[in-house]
Amino acid sequence: MGSEEVLKKIAGSSGDEFFSPVPEGYEKGKTKFIIIAGSVMSGVGKGIFASSLAKLLKYYGLNVAPIKIDGYLNQDAGTLNPFRHGEVFVLDDGLECDMDLGSYERFLMQPLSRENYLTAGMIFDKILKRERKGDYLGRDVQFIPHVTGEVKQALRKLAVKSKADVVLVEIGGTVGDFENAYVIEAMREMIYEEGKNNTCFINISYILEPPNLGEQKSKPAQLGIERLRGLGIQPDIMVCRSSNPIADKIKEKISVYSNVEVENVIGLHNTDTVYKAPFLLKDLKADERVVSLLNLNSKISNRMQKKELERWNKFVEKYTNIDEKVTIGIAGKYTGLNDSYASILKALEHAGTHNNLRIKIKYIETTAVEEGKLSEKEALEDVDGLIVPGGFGKRGAEGKIKCIRYARRKKIPFLGLCFGFQMAVIEFARVKAGMENADSTELEPEAQEPVIDILPEQKKIEGLGGNMRLGGQDVEIKRGTKSYELYGKENIRLRFRHRYEVNPKYISKLEESGIVFSGKHPKYNIMQVLELKDHPYFLATQAHPEFNSRPLEPEPLFNGFISAARNSRDKFV
Ligand code: GLN
């Protein structure tokens, strides 16, 4: 039976070996699939390669839909510890996902949705629920065809929904990981069913260069290829990551070993900034190889790509030639790990580039400030601006409040994000609104003056029901405020991830004492942005504006903050 018949059979069947429902409206060959999987080891820049390739294809005028498949059993990233796993990224539709989706959104400058993310947890949840409903009609439910069918279904659904020319699948971890076995098998089936020229499998490998040998070694890469072939997959393109440019001899070896023509063996060495990766891929003709393998030549515009790359290059040049810097303090609990603040760091970098400033980060461990081991003065005297980011729980919270107080009094530019917004409200309430017992019920469940509280009835009216208020919400910006000056319009949309909020009972008292709530929900009494007058820059938001920042479009609150930080720095030099 040819692959065409298999596909037809899949569409109509429910009880045989081909159980793999195909979504309505799916047309084979309309969308091409690029599958990217690593062997040898993870952490070698698979995500950067994938998003750079996606960017080049997008610049050709192609509609590209990325999807990240993660092997863990969590149904989303909401419960993952940022210490261990990096930040939780939030999409506009409310999905809490891996930080890699943040990189895709930033690199592609395109919003994503829950169809762009798939975890083992999501797959198994669907299957187990379906089994309970009896939908498998008495059939035993198996990894093949049911679990693999579910994976394929997700890719095809994304193809239908996004109407993409190309779905770009990034498989987390590496080939050979226990938890990836059925995903790789699903990809093998996908390649078979979709057929040649409709799929392109890219294996990201790694070429070692042990310092004591001083030469590149391809053995681990060869073993990786062997593993892949053992699973029935013949790669179309081999990408060899390495510290230094790959020697021709190594490329040839990989070619012979993998049955991949040498022109499809791409050596990808390190660049000094990830922003340059698309140019490196372009020089290596990676995009052209993919376009040719997938027969996409008639759909692309070289002119458009050239124009877009020029625009991107302007940003990269600006970024590389920055010669001034500001120091930004980030006061939090997860200060040991850059990944836990990935989007904030990126948003600072975008705003910094826009203002021609390199950002130096000073992490401030707020538990140390709280316990008096580090004074606010020591923590903040050498920073040009302070960020208090999102956070959960009591530990370190009073340290954050102390830092905010110092920044307010010493007129250090301040930007509060989510938890940072809540802490700013508490600090203000205690000192300026005469509520010395002001607190959040998250920290003090019996608080006498719960200025920050959990308000389930608010969520109900918004239709969010669940535990957290997640995803994009409209925000109305008040005219005549600093926020309005920054956003330049009344209606904006920001992303949220919180349980607690400003207690409506205290809003007027806070406002009378001088807080300006410059951003509110257009319909409900939910305070979303605040600012203080008589301060060079004191703004905070219940939202996470960092998720909306893009290299060429810095987020306004960050932009204003960085520009204020520069002014503050210049005052003292
Ligand atoms: N812990 C706070 C809340 O749940 C803030 C959450 C956050 O900073 N993302 O409301």
Side-chain angles (χ1 to χ4, degrees), residues 40-264:
V40 183
M41 60 189 188
S42 62
V44 297
K46 177 159 37 83
I48 293 164
F49 169 82
S51 45
S52 300
L53 178 64
K55 191 174 182 67
L56 288 173
L57 297 176
K58 185 174 171 170
Y59 281 176
Y60 268 141
L62 296 169
N63 177 358
V64 183
I67 175 167
K68 172 89 198 288
I69 306 185
D70 271 329
Y72 43 70
L73 285 161
N74 307 60
Q75 299 204 22
D76 57 39
T79 54
L80 294 178
N81 177 352
F83 238 153
R84 196 179 141 85
H85 213 87
E87 79 173 358
V88 176
F89 194 79
V90 181
L91 300 180
D92 190 77
D93 66 10
L95 182 78
E96 298 173 284
C97 59
D98 189 275
M99 54 187 283
D100 285 351
L101 269 83
S103 309
Y104 278 116
E105 279 205 345
R106 282 187 285 267
F107 239 63
L108 291 177
M109 293 186 262
Q110 151 184 333
L112 302 176
S113 63
R114 55 185 69 236
E115 284 80 16
N116 300 96
Y117 188 50
L118 188 66
T119 70
M122 291 182 192
I123 299 169
F124 291 117
D125 180 56
K126 258 197 210 146
I127 291 177
L128 294 176
K129 281 196 177 119
R130 198 178 290 149
E131 186 272 333
R132 286 292 82 186
K133 273 173 46 203
D135 284 355
Y136 291 98
L137 309 172
R139 171 77 153 83
D140 49 331
V141 186
Q142 294 187 295
F143 270 81
I144 307 171
H146 303 103
V147 180
T148 51
E150 208 56 52
V151 177
K152 292 182 286 178
Q153 164 90 331
L155 304 191
R156 291 179 173 132
K157 257 196 187 155
L158 174 61
V160 174
K161 185 170 177 220
S162 63
K163 299 192 178 67
D165 298 303
V166 178
V167 163
L168 184 130
V169 189
E170 183 193 338
I171 300 171
T174 50
V175 170
D177 290 355
F178 194 73
E179 53 196 14
N180 270 341
Y182 63 89
V183 178
I184 299 293
E185 166 58 16
M187 295 306 117
R188 188 194 64 74
E189 294 171 17
M190 196 75 188
I191 294 167
Y192 168 60
E193 290 166 14
E194 295 293 322
K196 263 263 164 261
N197 299 122
N198 288 334
T199 55
C200 172
F201 193 101
I202 303 179
N203 178 214
I204 312 271
S205 193
Y206 191 75
I207 303 295
L208 275 101
E209 200 170 334
N212 55 335
L213 294 181
E215 61 168 327
Q216 294 177 327
K217 296 302 254 179
S218 65
K219 184 57 91 191
Q222 291 177 23
L223 293 173
I225 297 164
E226 206 171 287
R227 182 141 224 183
L228 197 58
R229 288 223 305 253
L231 297 167
I233 290 179
Q234 166 62 46
D236 298 296
I237 291 182
M238 286 297 304
V239 171
C240 302
R241 286 279 298 113
S242 60
S243 313
N244 296 306
I246 298 275
D248 284 347
K249 199 180 86 186
I250 296 283
K251 265 195 206 168
E252 286 157 14
K253 247 191 190 168
I254 294 288
S255 167
V256 170
Y257 211 84
S258 61
N259 292 343
V260 170
E261 288 158 29
V262 83
E263 60 175 352
N264 291 337

Side-chain angles (χ1 to χ4, degrees), residues 390-392 417-419 422 442 497-500 542 544:
F392 293 82
L417 306 169
C418 203
F419 197 65
Q422 298 172 354
E442 176 180 0
R497 180 176 185 246
H498 65 118
R499 269 185 205 100
Y500 296 82
Q542 183 62 81
H544 287 279

Side-chain angles (χ1 to χ4, degrees), residues 155-390:
L155 304 191
R156 291 179 173 132
K157 257 196 187 155
L158 174 61
V160 174
K161 185 170 177 220
S162 63
K163 299 192 178 67
D165 298 303
V166 178
V167 163
L168 184 130
V169 189
E170 183 193 338
I171 300 171
T174 50
V175 170
D177 290 355
F178 194 73
E179 53 196 14
N180 270 341
Y182 63 89
V183 178
I184 299 293
E185 166 58 16
M187 295 306 117
R188 188 194 64 74
E189 294 171 17
M190 196 75 188
I191 294 167
Y192 168 60
E193 290 166 14
E194 295 293 322
K196 263 263 164 261
N197 299 122
N198 288 334
T199 55
C200 172
F201 193 101
I202 303 179
N203 178 214
I204 312 271
S205 193
Y206 191 75
I207 303 295
L208 275 101
E209 200 170 334
N212 55 335
L213 294 181
E215 61 168 327
Q216 294 177 327
K217 296 302 254 179
S218 65
K219 184 57 91 191
Q222 291 177 23
L223 293 173
I225 297 164
E226 206 171 287
R227 182 141 224 183
L228 197 58
R229 288 223 305 253
L231 297 167
I233 290 179
Q234 166 62 46
D236 298 296
I237 291 182
M238 286 297 304
V239 171
C240 302
R241 286 279 298 113
S242 60
S243 313
N244 296 306
I246 298 275
D248 284 347
K249 199 180 86 186
I250 296 283
K251 265 195 206 168
E252 286 157 14
K253 247 191 190 168
I254 294 288
S255 167
V256 170
Y257 211 84
S258 61
N259 292 343
V260 170
E261 288 158 29
V262 83
E263 60 175 352
N264 291 337
V265 179
I266 294 169
L268 187 61
H269 58 272
N270 293 350
T271 51
D272 51 354
T273 141
V274 298
Y275 297 131
K276 285 188 185 164
F279 293 109
L280 185 54
L281 284 191
K282 184 73 213 162
D283 289 344
L284 295 164
K285 299 190 172 29
D287 56 340
E288 291 167 39
R289 300 313 309 146
V290 170
V291 163
S292 146
L293 283 165
L294 292 175
N295 270 348
L296 282 167
N297 273 305
S298 62
K299 279 198 169 177
I300 61 164
S301 158
N302 284 307
R303 235 186 69 213
M304 179 171 163
Q305 193 195 51
K306 197 162 166 253
K307 222 176 89 202
E308 290 292 342
L309 279 174
E310 272 162 20
R311 217 158 76 94
W312 183 248
N313 194 33
K314 273 198 198 124
F315 168 80
V316 180
E317 292 228 311
K318 202 167 171 191
Y319 174 78
T320 14
N321 291 321
I322 293 172
D323 49 14
E324 283 186 57
K325 75 166 202 281
V326 285
T327 307
I328 301 300
I330 299 186
K333 244 182 340 190
Y334 304 126
T335 46
L337 183 73
N338 275 346
D339 272 2
S340 48
Y341 295 122
S343 290
I344 295 177
L345 298 180
K346 285 293 166 196
L348 286 171
E349 198 168 274
H350 303 156
T353 308
H354 194 74
N355 287 283
N356 193 26
L357 290 166
R358 184 85 52 221
I359 311 289
K360 185 173 165 231
I361 300 290
K362 178 182 178 188
Y363 285 117
I364 298 157
E365 188 52 65
T366 43
T367 41
V369 179
E370 184 168 292
E371 291 158 10
K373 289 184 192 141
L374 177 71
S375 74
E376 301 92 293
K377 186 166 184 292
E378 273 171 285
L380 296 171
E381 65 186 348
D382 52 353
V383 307
D384 306 310
L386 168 70
I387 287 191
V388 176

